[in-house]
Amino acid sequence: MAENGILLASASPRRRELLRLITPDFDVAAADVDETLPAGILPADAVLYLSGIKARALSPSDKIIIGADTVVALENRIIGKPKDEKDAFNILKSLSGREHSVFTGVTLIKGGKERSFFQETKVFFYPLSDDEINSYIGTGECFDKAGAYGIQGKGSLLVKKIDGDYFNVVGLPVAELYRELKRFE
């Protein structure tokens, strides 16, 4: 795809797997950045900000640098990764029977050229009993994921439907990224 390849600025194994759907020609380097968000930032702006600082941390490069970040938001309030079981329970309880949004921002950089975009996917959860929530927490799957669930795993049992790109919820809007990369070169 890219003449000199791609550099993914992410330690996420899910993003690596998804990027392989576009091209096998990429390297990975986790960007060590301060991910503290400005107070009151909206979710779409947050993912653009975070994807940008991750990509810029690895610039300059002769490769196309891809920075990405995903947040879960309930009524424009960003929900991070759970700190512990109690936090995971409270997060999942707040999402139970409700709609929330998953935003992924992506920044592409090569040389002096930079392009950022985001995608939003609406996710609708089934009403969840306390037993269902505790059972899911017991899988351990929730602890390294924004919103305390992974749609690609056992968390799929919590999801009634989605409106938008499934892969965006996993962590990378593959079809849009593919198109953006073609335009970016």
Side-chain angles (χ1 to χ4, degrees):
M1 165 147 282
E3 277 182 36
N4 295 317
I6 291 171
L7 180 59
L8 177 63
S10 175
S12 166
R14 291 170 294 282
R15 285 199 184 99
R16 279 189 292 242
E17 183 180 321
L18 293 174
L19 188 54
R20 281 189 194 100
L21 296 173
I22 298 172
T23 179
D25 181 23
F26 67 92
D27 295 314
V28 177
D32 184 22
V33 297
D34 177 3
E35 295 189 35
T36 305
L37 291 170
I41 192 168
L42 292 173
D45 296 329
V47 294
L48 292 173
Y49 171 78
L50 291 169
S51 69
I53 63 171
K54 289 177 179 180
R56 282 183 220 105
L58 300 180
S59 185
S61 173
D62 61 342
K63 301 176 186 289
I64 295 174
I65 301 167
I66 301 174
D69 199 81
T70 301
V71 301
V72 172
L74 181 62
E75 298 174 351
N76 275 330
R77 182 178 55 85
I78 296 171
I79 300 171
K81 296 175 184 176
K83 298 172 193 67
D84 53 32
E85 285 186 21
K86 181 180 179 190
D87 193 29
F89 182 89
N90 290 336
I91 290 170
L92 292 168
K93 191 74 168 173
S94 73
L95 299 177
S96 173
R98 299 181 69 188
E99 168 192 321
H100 63 277
S101 292
V102 177
F103 294 83
T104 298
V106 179
T107 298
L108 307 174
I109 295 177
K110 184 173 182 186
K113 189 174 177 186
E114 182 173 324
R115 165 87 174 108
S116 294
F117 65 92
F118 77 90
Q119 194 164 103
E120 176 183 6
T121 302
K122 303 262 188 213
V123 180
F124 303 81
F125 266 24
Y126 281 104
L128 305 172
S129 70
D130 290 358
D131 286 343
E132 287 173 305
I133 293 171
N134 285 321
S135 177
Y136 179 64
I137 292 169
T139 69
E141 185 180 273
C142 64
F143 292 108
D144 68 337
K145 294 173 182 65
Y149 73 97
I151 196 169
Q152 72 279 11
K154 294 276 187 186
S156 62
L157 304 176
L158 313 176
V159 178
K160 183 174 185 176
K161 68 178 183 172
I162 69 169
D163 181 8
D165 183 342
Y166 165 81
F167 293 114
N168 186 58
V169 182
V170 179
L172 200 63
V174 176
E176 188 173 356
L177 175 57
Y178 171 72
R179 283 155 181 78
E180 290 291 339
L181 282 167
K182 284 173 59 173
R183 284 192 287 270
F184 194 75
E185 293 185 44

